[in-house]
């Protein structure tokens, strides 16, 4: 499982490498700011394998594999189910106003997965 973390050369957040911001540290900072690292850690804590993926620019999403090609992408606002790698057959769920902590968001994903008869698979 991969949750972005600062690189071993971390000095400041983000530091400069070859005249540019360190990519590893920028990805880590974005995931922290967007809440995806915390949601992924909360999912892992309740037994659901999760990664954080970069989906475009520095937009980060929590990834949960539910089948050979099916998966869930989650952000701080909600989550979507996809039936295949081409993003076909998706449906979105937004977190309730009362679901504010990463743990509450992870629990909402877990409950929705159980309701939809989805099981988290080990990540490759």
């Amino acid at each position: 499982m991969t949750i972005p973390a600062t690189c071993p050369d971390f000095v400041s957040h983000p530091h400069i490498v070859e005249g540019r911001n360190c990519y590893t540290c920028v990805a880590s900072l974005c995931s922290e700011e967007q809440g995806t690292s915390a949601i992924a850690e909360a999912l892992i804590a309740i037994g659901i394998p999760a990664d954080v993926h970069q989906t475009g620019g520095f937009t980060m999403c929590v990834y949960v594999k539910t089948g050979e090609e099916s998966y869930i992408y989650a952000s701080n606002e909600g989550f979507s189910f996809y039936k295949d790698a081409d993003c076909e057959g998706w449906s979105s769920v937004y977190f309730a106003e009362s679901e504010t902590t990463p743990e509450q968001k992870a629990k909402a994903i877990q409950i929705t997965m159980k309701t939809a008869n989805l099981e988290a698979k080990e990540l490759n």
Side-chain angles (χ1 to χ4, degrees):
M1 290 169 261
T2 306
I3 297 175
T6 54
C7 66
D9 298 329
F10 177 73
V11 178
S12 61
H13 206 34
H15 64 281
I16 305 298
V17 176
E18 296 177 7
R20 302 178 72 180
N21 285 336
C22 172
Y23 173 83
T24 302
C25 290
V26 172
S28 175
L29 176 65
C30 290
S31 185
E32 290 168 15
E33 288 177 346
Q34 295 169 29
T36 52
S37 290
I39 294 169
E41 290 167 353
L43 285 165
I44 292 166
I46 60 173
I48 297 174
D51 276 341
V52 175
H53 288 188
Q54 186 174 350
T55 60
F58 280 100
T59 301
M60 312 301 276
C61 282
V62 178
Y63 173 81
V64 176
K65 184 175 180 178
T66 58
E68 202 56 43
E69 291 188 352
S70 58
Y71 57 94
I72 295 170
Y73 262 162
S75 69
N76 212 25
E77 292 80 35
F79 53 99
S80 297
F81 294 92
Y82 296 94
K83 291 186 180 176
D84 62 36
D86 295 326
C87 299
E88 294 295 325
W90 64 273
S91 62
S92 294
V93 177
Y94 291 94
F95 292 119
E97 286 185 26
S98 61
E99 296 165 335
T100 58
T101 69
E103 293 77 17
Q104 291 168 327
K105 292 174 182 188
K107 190 68 174 168
I109 292 170
Q110 181 184 45
I111 290 168
T112 305
M113 286 176 65
K114 283 183 181 179
T115 302
N117 288 326
L118 293 173
E119 183 178 317
K121 307 292 184 198
E122 286 299 318
L123 303 169
N124 304 0

